[in-house]
Amino acid sequence: MHGEHIDERSAETASVIDVNDLPDGLVVTDRDGHVLIVNRAAARLTGVTHDQAVGRHLRDVFSFRDHDGRDWWKWLDTYGGLPTRTRQPELPLRTPGGQEMLVAARLVRSPERGGEIVRVVITLRDAGARARLERSRADLVSTVAHELRSPLTSVKGFTATLLSKWTRFTDDQKLVMLETVNADADRVTRLITELLDVSRIESGRLEIHRQVVDIPARIRKIIAGRVAAGEPDDRFRLELGGELPETWLDQDKIDQVLANLMENAVRHGRGTVTIVVEPNEWGVTVSVRDQGEGIPPELVTRVFRQFWRGNARRRGGTGLGLFIVKGLIEAHGGTISVQRGPEGGAEFRFMVPTGTPDFA
């Protein structure tokens, strides 16, 4: 497939895109179904290379069929249908080996309006990815519904009790009930915020509003808040590894990332939580380390997935926190990873670029 390109011209410039750079599988045939092009993504999905397929009929090398076993190429019917027809909507199809794919087609005509079909451009996507996403969304709804039930039941119960029996309780009893209602309302708010964050991350609608952010100052503020809430003041240690460049970040989202990583270290780790901030060649690196048991190597790939809760004996929350952290860091153009820390516990390390002002 070497040398095959697709040209896209604007009014003033021409750009050339190698079909091997496309993220989705691409197969191009002539009007009769003989294969002209197979890009790398299509070869990876189907196991059929460009050289194996070119010159042969589509049905002989791919043989896409729907769930009723019908031949997709025959159903596409390039010789029939209206002369204005230019596309076939995406459909779930199967290969002879049973692999499911999402297949769509564009019928290229010459002339473009009403002419004869000269070639067929077919896109392929892994149906498994969509199925996993749909299962993930179903799990998300189920998990959040389960997590919401407990605080809402508590809020409803205490509120109904206070309304019906207000005069029977002492002021101290009323205060305890109202404090419980307030804490459960905060929990509901956090759950809804997490759900909205997940939705924005998965849909690519997460907006970043950049400003100059002093990362060490934000860390000190979060530590002060935790100490004020009852944590020992020696539980956290901040270390600076050199002069830091100016960073343009979304302050609220970076606060969320830092608070979540520190909460994770406190909940799942032990000992002192050390936060190290140091410059790198293109931005800033922040490491959050604990002195707990760490994360077994076989679980490292699961850490940033939805619903990962770490140590089963210390479960808490929805398991969405680290998934959201990863989405927020990547939205800044950064990366995050987890490894074994120098003192044996887990070390979460993220890197963010210096960035530029966002005037949008």
Side-chain angles (χ1 to χ4, degrees):
M1 140 79 252
H2 301 294
E4 297 286 357
H5 295 82
I6 295 177
D7 293 341
E8 293 187 345
R9 291 176 172 80
S10 64
E12 298 179 355
T13 62
S15 61
V16 178
I17 300 175
D18 188 332
V19 295
N20 286 320
D21 294 336
L22 298 175
D24 292 335
L26 178 75
V27 177
V28 181
T29 76
D30 63 18
R31 65 168 298 185
D32 298 319
H34 296 100
V35 177
L36 304 174
I37 296 172
V38 177
N39 75 345
R40 287 194 192 115
R44 185 172 60 250
L45 284 170
T46 64
V48 179
T49 67
H50 172 81
D51 292 339
Q52 291 171 333
V54 168
R56 301 175 63 189
H57 197 281
L58 182 80
R59 65 163 63 98
D60 294 331
V61 286
F62 296 111
S63 188
F64 298 124
R65 295 186 178 274
D66 65 15
H67 289 285
D68 295 323
R70 292 178 296 181
D71 183 334
W72 177 76
W73 180 263
K74 184 176 180 181
W75 187 41
L76 185 63
D77 188 17
T78 55
Y79 289 99
L82 296 173
T84 54
R85 185 172 59 121
T86 59
R87 61 185 294 271
Q88 172 64 48
E90 189 172 69
L91 295 170
L93 301 177
R94 287 184 176 142
T95 64
Q99 183 179 6
E100 290 198 14
M101 280 182 236
L102 300 171
V103 181
R106 178 171 179 78
L107 309 177
V108 181
R109 297 178 179 273
S110 182
E112 184 176 351
R113 301 180 67 85
E116 290 190 357
I117 295 173
V118 294
R119 62 182 176 275
V120 180
V121 179
I122 302 164
T123 58
L124 313 176
R125 294 196 297 137
D126 183 5
R130 175 178 287 187
R132 288 191 295 272
L133 179 59
E134 290 174 351
R135 285 196 301 271
S136 174
R137 287 174 176 168
D139 289 343
L140 177 62
V141 171
S142 175
T143 298
V144 172
H146 177 76
E147 294 288 338
L148 284 172
R149 183 180 300 141
S150 176
L152 288 177
T153 299
S154 171
V155 168
K156 176 62 178 175
F158 280 119
T159 303
T161 300
L162 286 170
L163 287 173
S164 63
K165 301 177 182 179
W166 180 265
T167 57
R168 298 186 186 182
F169 297 106
T170 65
D171 287 346
D172 287 343
Q173 290 173 324
K174 292 173 184 175
L175 179 61
V176 170
M177 291 186 187
L178 289 173
E179 286 176 340
T180 303
V181 168
N182 185 63
D184 284 334
D186 287 342
R187 183 178 170 192
V188 170
T189 300
R190 286 195 299 271
L191 286 168
I192 292 172
T193 300
E194 285 186 345
L195 183 61
L196 290 172
D197 284 339
V198 170
S199 174
R200 293 186 183 108
I201 289 168
E202 289 188 333
S203 64
R205 292 185 291 107
L206 194 65
E207 295 183 356
I208 300 297
H209 302 288
R210 296 184 186 273
Q211 64 184 81
V212 176
V213 174
D214 184 339
I215 295 178
R218 306 314 301 172
I219 295 171
R220 293 188 186 99
K221 182 175 181 179
I222 294 169
I223 291 174
R226 294 197 66 99
V227 171
E231 293 282 355
D233 57 7
D234 61 351
R235 183 71 194 271
F236 302 95
R237 181 172 67 237
L238 173 61
E239 297 180 0
L240 302 181
E243 184 176 352
L244 301 175
E246 185 178 81
T247 51
W248 287 80
L249 308 167
D250 188 310
Q251 181 170 290
D252 290 340
K253 291 179 175 58
I254 290 300
D255 282 355
Q256 187 177 352
V257 166
L258 293 168
N260 205 310
L261 292 177
M262 291 163 67
E263 168 67 21
N264 184 76
V266 169
R267 178 178 294 176
H268 298 288
R270 291 194 303 268
T272 302
V273 176
T274 303
I275 305 98
V276 181
V277 186
E278 52 195 342
N280 61 53
E281 60 182 353
W282 51 275
V284 172
T285 299
V286 179
S287 302
V288 180
R289 305 166 179 166
D290 63 60
Q291 297 173 325
E293 299 173 359
I295 299 172
E298 65 271 16
L299 297 181
V300 166
T301 57
R302 305 181 192 176
V303 168
F304 297 106
R305 294 180 186 175
Q306 293 181 21
F307 315 122
W308 187 82
R309 287 187 173 89
N311 194 325
R313 293 171 295 175
R314 301 180 185 178
R315 287 186 177 179
T318 58
L320 297 174
L322 292 175
F323 173 83
I324 292 171
V325 164
K326 183 173 185 288
L328 296 179
I329 291 298
E330 290 179 347
H332 280 85
T335 60
I336 185 168
S337 61
V338 62
Q339 59 195 37
R340 188 173 183 82
E343 297 181 79
E347 177 180 333
F348 286 85
R349 174 181 295 180
F350 70 84
M351 293 180 281
V352 287
T354 54
T356 56
D358 181 3
F359 298 109

